[in-house]
Amino acid sequence: MTDHSVTLPPGEGRGIKPWIRAQMRSPLGLVLNIAMLALIVTALPPLLDWAVIRATWTGSDMNACPPEGGACWAFIGAKMRLILFGTYPYDEHWRAVIATLIVVALVLASLNPLYWTRRLAMGWVIGLAVYSVLMWGGVFGLRFVDSSAWGGLPLTVILTVFGVFFGALVAVPVALARVSRLPVFRIAAVIYVELIRGVPLISILFMASVAMPLLLPEGFSPSGLVRVIIGIVIFTAAYMAEVLRGGLQAVPKGQHEAASSLGLGYWKTQFKVVLPQAVELVLPAFVSLIIITLKGTSLVVIVAMMDLLGAAKASLADPNWVGFYVEAFAFAGAIYVAMCASISWYGRRVETKLRSTRGNG
């Protein structure tokens, strides 16, 4: 029986004293730690005083929040459903909640390559069908809600999910074309990637919303939601393709040679041998792109769509609640931070699980 125990160096261990000794070894690290601690100690008390101690938590209008007081969270309580759901019908908010939870559950399963099976694909088909029924309605006695009335958090989530999902589908062939030996495909992929990465997302969203109807045949004009999703997909796919290209080039050539020796063709080699390894290598970058796409959806406000940030801005138009910009944006920002932190945390868990699975294999 092999002993796998690890012996720590003398003086090392867990606890506050070993940690302090470790910090003392680096004067620069010690100074930076002290500076950061001083910054936290200086900033935290005023922040807590404004956000908690002197804050107003209940009230029917802005008169409940005195100017000399702290944060007016009563405003958030009064406008929370508007911020979270936008102009979606008030009595139908339960549909948006269930539909959004379904999509989030599918996304969590899809982030783990270990779950990439036919069951997951079937789950997406069924889940999106249920999502469409709940959000649009018009069947089973549900009131019809046009996509132009969607807003708030459900709109932010669906734009992110569709942008990342279809962006990944487009990114795979583009990345394969980038590393292809066929010059026509390689040059076309390079032009697409460099062209899209050379312009900001706001320009692509504007072109998708305004110019796309002019370029399509007369009588065929997709809804504003579809046009915005197409713009986000085009933008996200370019970045994902470039990230995936790095992963494809990082896979050892021996993997290609081994697959070829087993008689596998090009497509089987790519999808069964190379791409799974490439995705695992670039998973941290993919998670970062998901977070960037999530935050980038806030730009849809320029095409008159009320996402989470747009709904927060709309909540400030009520004459009974005037001037609470800080509270509105702080609340929206907290939601963004929670979503981004959750994606990052789950991505690290998937990375750890994949490493342990490969190590045990």
Side-chain angles (χ1 to χ4, degrees):
M1 182 175 180
T2 305
D3 184 10
H4 295 284
S5 60
V6 178
T7 303
L8 294 174
E12 295 293 337
R14 296 181 179 180
I16 187 64
K17 290 183 178 180
W19 182 84
I20 294 176
R21 283 196 294 268
Q23 303 307 312
M24 293 292 290
R25 294 173 186 168
S26 172
L28 178 60
L30 181 61
V31 171
L32 292 176
N33 278 313
I34 293 175
M36 181 58 65
L37 183 61
L39 180 63
I40 293 174
V41 170
T42 302
L44 192 58
L47 180 61
L48 289 176
D49 180 62
W50 174 82
V52 179
I53 298 175
R54 293 189 296 116
T56 302
W57 299 91
T58 59
S60 57
D61 56 32
M62 61 183 179
N63 295 324
C65 300
E68 68 279 1
C72 184
W73 301 123
F75 166 76
I76 299 300
K79 298 298 179 181
M80 181 177 296
R81 293 184 70 164
L82 174 61
I83 296 174
L84 292 180
F85 300 102
T87 56
Y88 201 85
Y90 188 89
D91 295 336
E92 309 294 330
H93 284 174
W94 65 270
R95 290 161 50 182
V97 171
I98 296 175
T100 302
L101 290 177
I102 290 174
V103 171
V104 171
L106 290 171
V107 170
L108 293 178
S110 302
L111 286 176
N112 193 338
L114 298 176
Y115 297 153
W116 290 357
T117 63
R118 292 182 179 179
R119 290 185 178 180
L120 180 60
M122 184 60 64
W124 269 104
V125 172
I126 297 174
L128 290 179
V130 175
Y131 178 90
S132 301
V133 169
L134 287 172
M135 291 299 293
W136 269 291
V139 295
F140 304 120
L142 297 175
R143 171 185 171 186
F144 176 75
V145 180
D146 190 76
S147 60
S148 60
W150 298 8
L153 187 58
L155 180 61
T156 296
V157 171
I158 200 61
L159 289 176
T160 303
V161 170
F162 275 38
V164 171
F165 178 75
F166 290 105
L169 292 182
V170 175
V172 170
V174 173
L176 292 175
R178 287 278 276 134
V179 298
S180 173
R181 296 180 180 178
L182 302 176
V184 175
F185 290 96
R186 187 174 64 254
I187 294 173
V190 169
I191 292 174
Y192 164 71
V193 170
E194 297 303 328
L195 179 63
I196 298 301
R197 293 200 307 166
V199 295
L201 175 58
I202 194 170
S203 300
I204 294 178
L205 290 176
F206 184 79
M207 293 296 292
S209 299
V210 177
M212 187 179 295
L214 303 176
L215 301 176
L216 295 175
E218 187 176 353
F220 178 74
S221 179
S223 66
L225 176 63
V226 174
R227 295 199 299 269
V228 167
I229 289 176
I230 291 174
I232 294 175
V233 167
I234 292 173
F235 185 82
T236 304
Y239 285 85
M240 283 191 167
E242 194 66 7
V243 169
L244 188 56
R245 178 184 67 86
L248 291 172
Q249 293 178 334
V251 175
K253 292 184 178 180
Q255 298 293 317
H256 297 263
E257 297 170 355
S260 178
S261 67
L262 293 173
L264 297 180
Y266 174 80
W267 293 111
K268 286 188 176 180
T269 299
Q270 295 299 329
F271 284 95
K272 292 189 175 181
V273 178
V274 178
L275 274 174
Q277 297 182 62
V279 170
E280 182 179 347
L281 290 171
V282 301
L283 188 58
F286 261 38
V287 171
S288 296
L289 284 176
I290 294 173
I291 293 175
I292 291 173
T293 304
L294 169 63
K295 294 186 293 185
T297 58
S298 61
L299 295 175
V300 300
V301 69
I302 69 160
V303 291
M305 297 193 73
M306 192 180 293
D307 71 310
L308 177 62
L309 193 60
K313 292 180 179 178
S315 67
L316 298 168
D318 188 346
N320 294 320
W321 298 94
V322 178
F324 299 104
Y325 296 93
V326 175
E327 289 83 352
F329 291 121
F331 180 68
I335 296 176
Y336 275 109
V337 168
M339 291 191 293
C340 294
S342 299
I343 294 171
S344 179
W345 171 80
Y346 189 76
R348 290 195 299 271
R349 282 199 61 186
V350 172
E351 291 177 51
T352 303
K353 191 170 184 179
L354 286 174
R355 281 197 298 267
S356 63
T357 300
R358 184 173 293 277
N360 293 333

